[in-house]
Amino acid sequence: METRGRSLVKAIVWNVIGLISMTLVGFLATGSATAGGVMAAINTAIGFTCYLIYERVWARISWGRVGGRRHA
């Protein structure tokens, strides 16, 4: 099982990547850095929450693990 700290760090890093890419997409779509930033911030907040919950749920599911460890 993954620790909560590891899940949290993974969620933060993933959402920083998403924040940057969504800001760029928002800017390209609207021509406004402010609008793009607001869109990215909202998307990041929602995505961060969903991802963190998703990771914690999967950490409790033993399906697909061999010998108590996760395997790809």
Side-chain angles (χ1 to χ4, degrees):
M1 181 186 290
E2 230 175 64
T3 65
R4 290 183 179 175
R6 179 179 164 89
S7 293
L8 181 63
V9 169
K10 285 172 57 180
I12 290 170
V13 170
W14 179 250
N15 277 281
V16 167
I17 294 167
L19 179 65
I20 293 167
S21 62
M22 189 63 189
T23 299
L24 179 60
V25 169
F27 173 72
L28 293 174
T30 66
S32 167
T34 301
V38 168
M39 290 169 55
I42 292 168
N43 182 65
T44 298
I46 293 168
F48 177 81
T49 303
C50 291
Y51 180 82
L52 195 55
I53 293 167
Y54 177 81
E55 279 290 310
R56 296 313 302 160
V57 168
W58 272 101
R60 295 178 179 269
I61 297 172
S62 61
W63 175 81
R65 292 182 183 173
V66 177
R69 295 182 1 220
R70 279 202 246 179
H71 291 275

